[in-house]
Amino acid sequence: MNALVALCHFCELHGPRTLFCTEALHPPSPSPPQPGSAIPGDRDREADREGEGLTMRANSSATQRADMCEGCRSLPASHPGFVSVDSETGIRYLSHQHPRQPQLFSVVRQACVRSLSCEVCPGREGPIFFGDEQHGFVFSHTFFIKDSLARGFQRWYSIVVVAMDRIYLINSWPFLLRHLRQTIQSLQDTALKVFDNEQCVCPQRAVRMNSAFSPAVFPHQRSGNAARSLTSLTQHPNLWASLHSSFSWLLKACGSRLTEKLLEGAPTEDTLVLIERQTEQEEEMSGWEGAEGGGSNPQPSQSESVHSKDFQFDDGRQEDLLGPKFKSLRHLRQVLGANDFRQLTWHVLMGNQVIWRGADPGLIQSAFNVLKALLPVGCVRAVSYSPHYEEAYRCNFLGLSPDVPIPAHVSSSEFSMLVDVHNVERGCVNPVSDDDILSLYQFNISSANTQPTDKGPTLLNKIEVALSNGNLSVEVVSLCLLCLKEEWMNKVKVLFKFSKVDGRGKEDTQKVLALLGATGPGEEDNVRLLKFWMTGLSKLYKSHLMTSTSNTGSSAS
Amino acid sequence: MNVLITVTCVSLSFSWASAEFDLAQIRLIVYQDCEKRGRQVLFDSKAIHKLDTSEPVTCKNPIVTVSFILKTADETKTPPNRSGACHIGSQAGDKDKPPSYQYTRPASDVNMIGEMMFGSVSMSYKGSTLKIHHIRSPPQLMVSKVFSTRFGSSTSGSTNTYVSCFFSSVSRLQGLTSRFQMGPHFCRSHSNPVDMPSRGHSEDGDSGIARSASLSSLLATPLPSPGSSFSSGLSSSYQRRWLRSQATSLQHGPMPRWNTEEMFNLSDESCNSNPAMIQRKKIAISIIISLPEREEENHNFQEFFFSHFPLFESHMNKLKTAIERAMIVCRRIAESSQRVQVYLCRVMEALGEFRMTVWNLYMAPRISEPVWLSMISQSTERNLLCQRFLKEMSLLMEHGAKSQFLAALLTAVLTHHLAWVSTVMPSSLPPIKSACQKPASQTVDLLAKSHPYNPLWAQLGDLYGALGSPVRVCRTVVVGRKRELVQRVLYVLSYFIRCSDLQEHVQPQGQMDNPASPCTSQTTDPTPEKTCPPKPDPLKPTACVIGTSEKALNSDLGNAIPGTSVEQNHEILLTDTNSTSPSPSSESTAVRPEFTEMGQECFGEDSDSVGGGLEHILANQSPLLHRVQFHIGSPSETANDGQAGGLTGAGCGRGLDRKLHQRLLSDIRRKESSDSALGDSDDEETSPRELYGATEQNEYELPLPSCQVESRASVNHFGHSLLGGYCPQYMPDFALHGISSDLRLKQCLMADLEHTVLHPALDEPVAEALCIVADTDRLSVQVVTSQRRVCEGGRLGRDVMVSNLVHTLITSVLQLFALNIASDFCVMHLEDRLQEVYFKSRSLAEYLRGQTRVHVKELGLALGIESSDIPLLAAVASTHSPYVAQILL
């Protein structure tokens, strides 16, 4: 808990005194909400505090020691104090006579004075809450400890819990009261036994009755007696260590008394797929233990991005390949022209095999990186640059070197398209900027597809609107694309549940398509897209739907 | 078809409190503490009786209540000073003659209460002070707020001074009841204010500790945007909690956050003060609540009171404002008896209001099974819950189909009760348990452990939707004569108005060795003659051993002895080893062998004696003990890490901290060489201080005790208490509730919203307070705000524009449900669709970055965001991108 606990004593000679104080030091700002938003000046303050702490502590103990008696003291000045570390959280619980943090010194002092000489508690023993924004808030419990030598045979103490969070402290009242009572009871019981024992040995009442009162001697006598420490009153040799443990526990237990369960959204399908791929890869790697495995990773950059999680936008991240690159979908669209771009992206979205053939692997890779963003991660199988043709079931993105022949069954298939990248003869010696891809390359797009690509899918139509609007930044377009993809993934999930899990008939499926907004113009393309995207659902999701159906029984049909 | 669906019925509300709560149990005392005149009681409800005895002084009296409300409504429209005057004039001629009151003999406890309110020494602090006392007999709780008084500005040349006009009224009031006056004798002789060692603002500046400035400005101003990337998307739920833990951290020292200058305001333009006559004066208001006699009821009420304190306090502030106003108003009345009557009457009315609110807060029915909280707390019932929820939502959809009632209501609720946003923000972590269930936030969990904040406070903010920027708080009231329909609406909304679920961790009843008791097992026999010297500090090394072996022990013993915590052993160790504690608990006996083993393992092969010593410590019997114990811990033997270099922790358990271990070993080593150390540790005064010096800053490390805790669902949390059922009366606190008539709502709402902005129960500044009013009879949904006072046609607020996103969302979810798709899938789809709303808000936020004008058409074309969606999306966006609010304003 964001609080400290202190034991205070009303010394007969010196008034209210802080005896023992346990504070919780929290690890320095563990994970600020985001980089850069840490509280300004936090570090400076930390430094200040260190410096201040030493001086102030030295000063205070020097001044205090002068007028301190045994009763006002807990640990000897030489004692280094106690510490307990909560290894789980890194919180350190420190106990000294006075708080180590200088800014808390006066807060505790104030709490001590108020609890023992300002605030009034009916019956003098019991709990009070008091405080204000400037001095902090205090839960105080006053109590007596038996002392055969003290005036009235008892001494007055209080335990204060100080916090800045008023509401938290008040919320904790029942808890604090319950446990401080135990602490106090235990101290009182122990002291009572000592008291009884001492009274047996030497009944003080009789001594006092019999001793002649002499004004001259009296003050001296009293001051001598006033100096009994709590250790001596309880005859508890480990009192302070025990109190440290009690107070530390109290702070910890009070802070963790209530815990909240706060849910966040389920991970997106893309995240799940990436995690699955990473796990698979790790299993593969461990299978090959020791072998040179790096080169055979199909998607090293993707699996890394699970950590960074901004895989959606890492268009810029390319291998170390030099040369011109496609930077964004919009850039690709500018280079290819609207028509070719439409064709190309249509094939990508339909799940057809998209083959790029050219001499510059960096350029082709960059094209794939940009195009991959159109699809759910689970739908992307890319072979970025290969010396021979790879079948469509192995990859929907395939990069080939210029001289690799395309098998006839592929080039005649309507489910594939080929982009040939030709180097433009450079007539001039002027250095060409990398950005100017068109001056370097020529692109030929060919496909056996006879279907119109200009109707749907709806998703593509919307993306094109965003891409063609120059007012929208690349980031906005990216987010827009993400929205569209998530929207359509949600439709995919419904369709999967409906057709694959529940196995509904055509008529019902049509209803679902309608309610999903997949019907209308471009319906055919929408359905193709949905079916293709279904293959990209995570295994986890699919198996969850399958098992949950068998569990819940016949909620459907 | 599923049979289960047919069984569903509308949720039954349940009553909260276990017993009746008598209104007279709440007593109000107003006290004044003046430098010169001492303490005077200005009001004590216990000493006031209604002259018309046929009507008991309770707030159940409809006349009192209603007349008060009308007055409040009047006053809010015109400046207080004028309306106050008008009001009194009009009241005199009212047909409902206000009740007249009479002081009787003051209760015998007022002196004591005055002492408790102000303290025996008055404080120089200018701000308001809060106090809570527990009075044992008769059992009562007393909450006091002590204010400094503020008087009017001294610019005007009015002949009336504040002091004269106020005191004239007060003294006459007291003259009327002569025995009521306390007189100066009551004021203790030590009335000199104590100047506390306070940290002035100058000190803040000097020390260079940028505390209040940086933090409070952070609180008031929006956080920097998380950026366009999704990777940094930590929810505003997290940020709120983190900031709270920082803002209330003791490590920053006292840091007045806001509202520190809250005073008792007696300024009145028509009655200006003479600065020369201003005295130090404080006014304190106390609410004393008699606690139920029965132990269980007493316990329940206290648990409720302390967990709901922010709400109690907020109502107390309202009461305070009413008392201020009563004092200002009454002193304008020349005739003394009438003045007293007006004063008493007004304060009694305000008290009646307070009593009724508290009563309602405690007694009003609640939604017995809020959908969201039930779903996240009990996973086994999930399917049933989903079914019932969708069924109810379908019925509701049919009911208000034409007017799009449900879509409008959900648009408003999703726009303002924003806690749902963080529950759909995609997690970046792999699911732990079942695949597609929402994971619990691990970042928040970690934060709560390392930087504790108040989960109750967090929950309150969630429920009121205080997650956007600027901070707005919202409540929803469902009005309608048809109980079943209203309850259905409430039930459905309890899915969308979300908050975290709270768990309570408590020690089981009757646990013997309590870490809170420092002297647990020692109490049997202190035997002072035999005890060791006062401060041998024998603990350190032994404790180190325990601390370091704790992990191993935990794993070993946790299974072996269920229900035993390792720290119980530690307790035993900490106790005086000489005590003849007759019965070490069975657990500890069982623990011993393992522990010994562990100890020996730690010490390695050449430490037989120590290992044996440890065993004996546990056994609490060996005579050898003295020796061993003192050896280890003699403070004269400061640990020197360097000397331990040769000894490595070969035999240590995993959890053993190497450094500690070395220290430990060196201690033991050295002890073995200097054996007769008994006397050394005898007295701290004789021990050579130089050895410690100021340089030795390393505290002795002790293990952190812990004890077995039982986790259980928390009962007294806002998720249960602020989701109200179909209540007999409008409630100003509930995040959600239903009522049959909006009469009282109309009377109170504006004042309540204004009060919320001035004294938010949330304990942080609030920019705007809102209330969604859904009328199931007229099928209308309106939003009332504290910022707009007058609406056309006498209506409360403005109608809600249905968001197209929300409309399609509900439609498709319910259509899926109608197509007999499994209900838990439908609910998952609903969550997916809500997530889409979140993603859209990200696009909107990104679109707005750097924009000065919003092109609605462009939004629609490019981002698929229609104009009807903009308020919703902007509100959602403000939770992750605070700059959005500034652009859209």
Side-chain angles (χ1 to χ4, degrees), chain B residues 490-738:
Chain B
L490 296 175
Y491 182 77
V492 168
L493 290 186
S494 73
Y495 181 74
F496 295 96
I497 298 178
R498 299 180 177 180
C499 66
S500 57
D501 193 24
L502 288 198
Q503 286 258 313
E504 196 175 357
H505 309 279
V506 291
Q507 275 192 284
Q509 288 286 316
Q511 175 150 330
M512 289 309 288
D513 267 330
N514 192 315
S517 316
C519 317
T520 319
S521 350
Q522 205 216 2
T523 53
T524 44
D525 179 19
T527 54
E529 295 81 7
K530 278 167 67 188
T531 38
C532 30
K535 285 178 195 171
D537 281 321
L539 272 185
K540 187 203 106 199
T542 50
C544 285
V545 172
I546 300 158
T548 48
S549 57
E550 194 175 277
K551 270 191 186 154
L553 277 173
N554 261 324
S555 53
D556 289 345
L557 302 181
N559 308 327
I561 310 154
T564 309
S565 79
V566 180
E567 283 68 27
Q568 289 179 335
N569 313 319
H570 151 64
E571 276 302 329
I572 291 159
L573 261 177
L574 279 182
T575 59
D576 173 14
T577 48
N578 282 317
S579 77
T580 53
S581 172
S583 58
S585 62
S586 57
E587 288 94 335
S588 67
T589 320
V591 166
R592 212 181 306 145
E594 281 94 334
F595 188 84
T596 312
E597 210 179 297
M598 192 60 215
Q600 282 167 340
E601 195 186 342
C602 286
F603 284 104
E605 65 286 350
D606 65 337
S607 55
D608 290 342
S609 66
V610 179
L614 278 172
E615 188 178 10
H616 289 304
I617 289 171
L618 279 167
N620 264 348
Q621 279 157 6
S622 165
L624 179 69
L625 198 57
H626 269 295
R627 196 171 137 263
V628 175
Q629 190 183 22
F630 288 10
H631 285 188
I632 296 169
S634 162
S636 63
E637 297 289 339
T638 316
N640 186 340
D641 291 346
Q643 293 197 359
L647 292 163
T648 57
C652 320
R654 274 171 303 153
L656 193 63
D657 175 42
R658 185 180 208 84
K659 202 171 169 190
L660 268 173
H661 178 239
Q662 291 182 345
R663 249 174 93 162
L664 189 60
L665 286 180
S666 76
D667 279 0
I668 295 157
R669 260 268 165 106
R670 278 128 113 288
K671 267 303 103 186
E672 278 165 356
S673 54
S674 67
D675 204 26
S676 61
L678 252 173
D680 287 1
S681 57
D682 188 65
D683 185 7
E684 68 193 72
E685 296 302 318
T686 61
S687 71
R689 217 165 254 175
E690 312 87 74
L691 273 178
Y692 290 98
T695 50
E696 171 64 76
Q697 288 293 323
N698 292 329
E699 290 87 358
Y700 289 150
E701 179 155 356
L702 299 175
L704 186 64
S706 69
C707 71
Q708 191 194 1
V709 286
E710 280 174 356
S711 298
R712 61 175 187 216
S714 171
V715 186
N716 277 302
H717 71 72
F718 294 118
H720 286 143
S721 64
L722 292 191
L723 295 177
Y726 193 60
C727 298
Q729 206 164 33
Y730 158 76
M731 292 286 307
D733 297 308
F734 287 0
L736 172 69
H737 76 299

Side-chain angles (χ1 to χ4, degrees), chain B residues 194-209:
Chain B
V194 166
D195 255 307
M196 284 302 168
S198 77
R199 301 180 55 84
H201 291 288
S202 56
E203 192 179 350
D204 288 356
D206 291 342
S207 65
I209 298 178

Side-chain angles (χ1 to χ4, degrees), chain A residues 33-34 45 74 83-84 110 118-119 125 166 171 179 182-183 193 241 257 259-262 471 490, chain B residues 120 136 196 234 239 241 252 306 313 376 441 453 500-501 505 514 516 523 535 539 700 702 763 836:
Chain A
Q34 51 206 239
R45 212 176 311 155
S74 55
V83 63
S84 291
Q110 156 110 4
C118 299
E119 300 304 332
E125 285 188 301
R166 176 172 59 100
N171 289 160
H179 291 285
Q182 287 174 355
T183 308
K193 292 202 174 87
R257 181 179 64 93
T259 55
E260 52 170 357
K261 184 178 172 189
L262 184 73
N471 280 344
N490 290 338
Chain B
S120 56
R136 247 173 297 175
M196 284 302 168
L234 278 165
Q239 298 198 357
R241 286 159 172 82
H252 302 289
F306 288 111
E313 190 187 28
I376 67 176
S441 171
Y453 55 86
S500 57
D501 193 24
H505 309 279
N514 192 315
T523 53
K535 285 178 195 171
L539 272 185
Y700 289 150
L702 299 175
D763 194 38
E836 281 179 31

Side-chain angles (χ1 to χ4, degrees), chain B residues 10-14 16 365-378 381-382 385-386 388-389 459 463 487-501 714-715 717-725 735-736:
Chain B
V10 171
S11 95
L12 290 168
S13 301
F14 74 104
W16 181 265
R366 265 64 170 192
I367 299 175
S368 59
E369 211 174 49
V371 185
W372 173 254
L373 281 173
S374 305
M375 266 189 204
I376 67 176
S377 61
Q378 51 207 49
E381 301 282 309
R382 188 179 156 82
L385 273 165
C386 291
R388 184 173 163 203
F389 165 62
Q459 207 187 28
L463 281 167
Q487 285 185 327
R488 176 169 295 137
V489 176
L490 296 175
Y491 182 77
V492 168
L493 290 186
S494 73
Y495 181 74
F496 295 96
I497 298 178
R498 299 180 177 180
C499 66
S500 57
D501 193 24
S714 171
V715 186
H717 71 72
F718 294 118
H720 286 143
S721 64
L722 292 191
L723 295 177
L736 172 69

Side-chain angles (χ1 to χ4, degrees), chain A residues 33-34, chain B residues 221-227 232-241 243 413-426 461-462 464-473 834-835 837-846 848 870-886 888:
Chain A
Q34 51 206 239
Chain B
T221 55
L223 285 160
S225 148
S232 60
L234 278 165
S235 65
S236 68
S237 301
Y238 177 88
Q239 298 198 357
R240 266 173 55 74
R241 286 159 172 82
L243 278 178
V413 165
L414 292 173
T415 305
H416 299 297
H417 292 275
L418 285 165
W420 65 271
V421 177
S422 58
T423 66
V424 301
M425 280 174 71
D462 280 1
Y464 286 149
L467 289 98
S469 168
V471 177
R472 296 189 174 92
V473 292
L834 286 174
Q835 194 175 56
V837 176
Y838 163 73
F839 281 132
K840 275 215 156 65
S841 78
R842 305 283 316 217
S843 326
L844 177 66
E846 190 56 44
L848 291 174
I870 292 177
L872 168 67
L873 292 177
V876 175
S878 80
T879 68
H880 50 75
S881 310
Y883 61 89
V884 166
Q886 284 144 20
L888 285 181

Side-chain angles (χ1 to χ4, degrees), chain B residues 158-418:
Chain B
S158 161
T159 49
N160 268 346
T161 66
Y162 159 74
V163 177
S164 65
C165 55
F166 184 69
F167 275 122
S168 62
S169 73
V170 168
S171 58
R172 273 175 227 205
L173 180 139
Q174 285 168 343
L176 195 79
T177 58
S178 55
R179 266 174 296 183
F180 206 59
Q181 190 163 6
M182 312 292 25
H185 67 273
F186 177 61
C187 191
R188 290 269 185 95
S189 52
H190 46 275
S191 65
N192 285 338
V194 166
D195 255 307
M196 284 302 168
S198 77
R199 301 180 55 84
H201 291 288
S202 56
E203 192 179 350
D204 288 356
D206 291 342
S207 65
I209 298 178
R211 90 186 93 243
S212 41
S214 60
L215 264 181
S216 53
S217 64
L218 249 185
L219 285 174
T221 55
L223 285 160
S225 148
S228 60
S229 158
F230 276 86
S231 56
S232 60
L234 278 165
S235 65
S236 68
S237 301
Y238 177 88
Q239 298 198 357
R240 266 173 55 74
R241 286 159 172 82
W242 185 80
L243 278 178
R244 179 73 179 180
S245 83
Q246 293 301 303
T248 59
S249 169
L250 261 182
Q251 271 167 291
H252 302 289
M255 188 172 52
R257 287 168 305 131
W258 63 298
N259 210 10
T260 51
E261 295 300 302
E262 192 190 4
M263 296 191 131
F264 200 89
N265 194 354
L266 291 168
S267 63
D268 180 356
E269 279 164 35
S270 71
C271 179
N272 283 303
S273 65
N274 181 345
M277 295 189 67
I278 290 178
Q279 307 167 38
R280 263 193 218 264
K281 176 155 47 176
K282 294 195 181 243
I283 289 184
I285 295 173
S286 270
I287 286 292
I288 300 175
I289 302 173
S290 299
L291 295 168
E293 304 238 319
R294 277 183 44 210
E295 185 49 45
E296 192 193 345
E297 282 169 36
N298 184 337
H299 172 84
N300 289 345
F301 181 81
Q302 286 202 42
E303 291 282 337
F304 181 81
F305 174 82
F306 288 111
S307 56
H308 288 69
F309 182 77
L311 304 178
F312 281 87
E313 190 187 28
S314 166
H315 294 302
M316 233 178 121
N317 283 327
K318 200 185 261 181
L319 182 57
K320 173 224 170 194
T321 311
I323 295 168
E324 281 173 344
R325 195 159 292 166
M327 288 184 178
I328 293 171
V329 164
C330 80
R331 68 174 185 239
R332 280 192 229 112
I333 300 166
E335 205 276 306
S336 72
S337 69
Q338 199 197 345
R339 176 188 308 142
V340 170
Q341 278 307 312
V342 166
Y343 171 73
L344 292 182
C345 192
R346 286 194 145 229
V347 178
M348 280 310 283
E349 280 165 2
L351 175 62
E353 186 82 353
F354 178 85
R355 285 169 164 170
M356 184 172 57
T357 313
V358 168
W359 190 88
N360 277 334
L361 181 62
Y362 193 47
M363 302 297 286
R366 265 64 170 192
I367 299 175
S368 59
E369 211 174 49
V371 185
W372 173 254
L373 281 173
S374 305
M375 266 189 204
I376 67 176
S377 61
Q378 51 207 49
S379 48
T380 48
E381 301 282 309
R382 188 179 156 82
N383 276 311
L384 279 174
L385 273 165
C386 291
Q387 254 164 23
R388 184 173 163 203
F389 165 62
L390 289 167
K391 172 77 177 165
E392 299 291 342
M393 192 152 90
S394 302
L395 288 171
L396 206 54
M397 190 70 169
E398 284 163 27
H399 180 82
K402 278 179 202 156
S403 63
Q404 290 207 315
F405 173 71
L406 183 60
L409 180 53
L410 285 187
T411 301
V413 165
L414 292 173
T415 305
H416 299 297
H417 292 275
L418 285 165

Side-chain angles (χ1 to χ4, degrees), chain B residues 139-160:
Chain B
Q140 295 167 96
L141 280 176
M142 175 168 133
V143 188
S144 319
K145 286 198 108 171
V146 187
F147 304 93
S148 299
T149 44
R150 177 195 287 143
F151 312 99
S153 66
S154 54
T155 48
S156 147
S158 161
T159 49
N160 268 346

Side-chain angles (χ1 to χ4, degrees), chain B residues 806-824:
Chain B
V806 175
H807 172 71
T808 53
L809 181 154
I810 314 171
T811 313
S812 62
V813 169
L814 291 181
Q815 279 178 348
L816 284 182
F817 184 62
L819 281 169
N820 279 323
I821 289 200
S823 50
D824 68 330

